[in-house]
Amino acid sequence: MNWEEGNSEKELLRLFQKGDEVAFNAIYVLYSKQLFRKIFHMVNDEHSAKELLQDLFMKIWENRKHIDPEKSFKSYLYTIGVNLVYDHFRKAGRDKQLASHLLLMAVDQYTHIEEAIVNKDNMNLIRSAVNKLPPQRKKVFILCKLEGKSYEEVSQELHISTSTIHDHMVKANYAVRSYLNSHPDLVAYSLAAIIFIY
């Protein structure tokens, strides 16, 4: 079978559910490089990243019968990846170090997050941080971070200068980081999800 010549991902997943090793290899080829880059970006250690990637594919093989081809398989893979990375740090007793490390990266990469990836409590934590910003600052932050607009585009839309937008963003980034940093029990998983996805 050559899946890449004409079959859909849903058909591939149905074959995989039945234990088809060719389908499993096709899934590995499709997703392994991207997943490895994400994991390595988080753990910053090639050996650990390779082990976690192997664990990830072992898990999807063991749970293949529970995969729903109608749902986003990429989201499913990312959910497993986030949990594995989080467990990796937790087992090493480095929750605080993980949170500190990710806080430095998270706000700069904060974009739209699939709610399927981040659980309700963590999603609410991130929303709360953004919602505590002053109205204009919140609007600027959402336009720049969530919608990916440039300072120039936001300047035209809100009729304020790019220097004012920059000032809002600097203060918004600081405020969001400070808020997240005050919730260490929840922040590590939330930020792991943000960084892993993007």
Side-chain angles (χ1 to χ4, degrees):
M1 183 196 77
N2 188 338
W3 172 78
E4 292 181 312
E5 292 181 359
N7 292 331
S8 70
E9 184 185 77
K10 289 180 182 179
E11 291 170 329
L12 175 68
L13 292 175
R14 290 189 183 100
L15 289 168
F16 174 56
Q17 280 181 313
K18 297 175 182 178
D20 189 305
E21 292 186 10
V22 176
F24 177 71
N25 288 335
I27 289 171
Y28 184 87
V29 170
L30 278 174
Y31 292 105
S32 61
K33 288 183 180 179
Q34 183 178 10
L35 288 167
F36 176 79
R37 286 195 299 268
K38 299 271 188 187
I39 294 170
F40 178 74
H41 180 59
M42 300 256 339
V43 301
N44 198 30
D45 177 77
E46 185 175 355
H47 178 72
S48 296
K50 287 179 178 178
E51 286 191 341
L52 289 168
L53 182 69
Q54 184 178 2
D55 289 346
L56 191 158
F57 278 95
M58 284 179 61
K59 282 186 178 295
I60 67 167
W61 175 260
E62 292 168 356
N63 295 288
R64 61 189 180 279
K65 293 181 180 179
H66 303 293
I67 292 171
D68 186 349
E70 300 302 319
K71 294 183 179 179
S72 171
F73 185 62
K74 188 175 182 179
S75 294
Y76 176 71
L77 289 175
Y78 280 9
T79 300
I80 296 173
V82 168
N83 287 327
L84 285 172
V85 170
Y86 183 64
D87 286 344
H88 168 76
F89 280 97
R90 187 176 60 187
K91 287 174 183 176
R94 288 160 39 198
D95 280 23
K96 290 183 179 179
Q97 289 92 324
L98 172 63
S100 177
H101 170 67
L102 296 180
L103 275 166
L104 297 175
M105 304 162 62
V107 175
D108 291 335
Q109 298 188 38
Y110 186 89
T111 53
H112 175 70
I113 304 166
E114 295 180 54
E115 293 197 23
I117 303 296
V118 185
N119 69 38
K120 185 177 178 180
D121 288 340
N122 292 308
M123 198 69 210
N124 287 339
L125 176 67
I126 296 167
R127 283 197 184 122
S128 295
V130 176
N131 286 336
K132 286 187 176 295
L133 298 172
Q136 183 78 335
R137 191 162 299 157
K138 175 183 174 182
K139 188 180 296 184
V140 169
F141 187 84
I142 289 173
L143 289 171
C144 291
K145 290 295 184 184
L146 274 69
E147 299 184 15
K149 294 184 177 180
S150 68
Y151 284 11
E152 289 74 18
E153 290 173 323
V154 177
S155 174
Q156 293 176 4
E157 183 172 336
L158 299 182
H159 307 290
I160 56 178
S161 69
T162 55
S163 61
T164 300
I165 292 169
H166 177 266
D167 181 65
H168 275 305
M169 289 303 298
V170 169
K171 291 175 180 176
N173 286 340
Y174 177 79
V176 171
R177 282 182 181 174
S178 297
Y179 184 85
L180 294 176
N181 202 31
S182 69
H183 296 75
D185 293 337
L186 292 175
V187 74
Y189 184 88
S190 295
L191 299 183
I194 295 170
I195 301 300
F196 194 88
I197 296 166
Y198 291 95

